[in-house]
Amino acid sequence: MILVKGIFLATYGLGINSVRYQLVLRPPVRSMMRGPKLFPNSAFLVGLTVATVALLSCGSRPNVVAVIPRTTSTMFWEAEHAGAEFAARKSGIRIRWNAPTREDDVQLQIGMVDRAIDERCRGLILAPDESRALMIPVQRALAAGVPTVVVGSALPLPIQRNLSYIVNDDEMVGRMAALRIGSILNGKGEIAVVGIDPQSLGSLSVLRSFVSVMKENFPRVAIVERRPGANNDIDSELIVNQMLLSHPNVNAIFSLNSFGTVGAFLALKSRSLTDHVKVVGVQQSAELANAVRLHQIDALIAEDTYQMGYRAVELLAANQSPQMIKLSPILITAANVDAPETKSFITNDWRGELQ
């Protein structure tokens, strides 16, 4: 601020001794732009003034919170958007919502984090595409004094000053999936796991929990395949088709992300196997919920992304001490897909309520 103040005084102090730094900038800017008579080198001073205003604007976003989900290409994170907007309206905060259009565009997400740092936003809410890749950008945000809430899954960083987590209970997700699949298979059969993200600590935590619970409770159920995920439906369908060729006797598929779930559904539908191979997927959408309603997918394990957004803004607005908050997922089946308590997990019809 000392540098900025000095530039301001150098620019506006020529011949105007009464100008103080606290005055509104607009009048002198307009008077200078109207004509060059007051200043012998007006072009230089205009440029200097523009630079000054730019410098000031970098640090003039005290009520803007940058909310960066993993992607804007799916509706899964729109519930987080809704939660953040509702909390922001209550707190007098403005939300800037933006993200890459692909989950694998990590560099673009890093650039968005850096922009929030450069603009000195009041806070940052981030759902990292890759835990390890986003660790250093988050450390830069913390060093710059930008309070940060990481949502979805944790980074390899402990909670600390200006860093909180609001994450899904990944161990519970794995347990829910294992108990559901073990039950519908009556304790025996073959299953495949798809949609694994080796770069995500959350994905690996879900997988560990799932495997552990299956071994402990259903020793006659064999996990015959584990496949990494893709970032689109077409490649996910191809992965599942390859898996079905290798293991034609698979009885159930557990998918760790929405792309894998859609890919499993499309592959099974093309083979007329939706009645024979049960799918349990992680991450919800209205389209997948409809497939559950029609008994084309057995179940979805839904994350409470609405509460992630809402509570993250609350933390930033109240300047609360760093926290680790785990939110419980819910199991969506044909029996409860239309229940009132499930609606908020699968609908995105919220914008009208903000008017």
Side-chain angles (χ1 to χ4, degrees), residues 74-94:
T74 68
M75 297 302 291
F76 175 72
W77 289 103
E78 276 298 315
E80 182 205 12
H81 192 184
E85 287 285 1
F86 276 110
R89 294 292 177 92
K90 290 174 57 178
S91 306
I93 292 173
R94 290 196 299 116

Side-chain angles (χ1 to χ4, degrees), residues 210-227:
F210 177 78
V211 171
S212 175
V213 174
M214 289 301 302
K215 287 182 178 179
E216 180 181 351
N217 295 276
F218 307 103
R220 297 174 63 192
V221 175
I223 302 175
V224 296
E225 187 68 275
R226 306 180 193 188
R227 295 266 181 153

Side-chain angles (χ1 to χ4, degrees), residues 179-212:
L179 294 177
R180 179 68 181 179
I181 290 177
S183 175
I184 60 180
L185 295 185
N186 296 314
K188 60 181 180 180
E190 295 184 357
I191 60 176
V193 182
V194 300
I196 301 169
D197 183 357
Q199 302 298 323
S200 168
L201 298 181
S203 181
L204 297 178
S205 179
V206 170
L207 180 61
R208 282 194 301 269
S209 175
F210 177 78
V211 171
S212 175

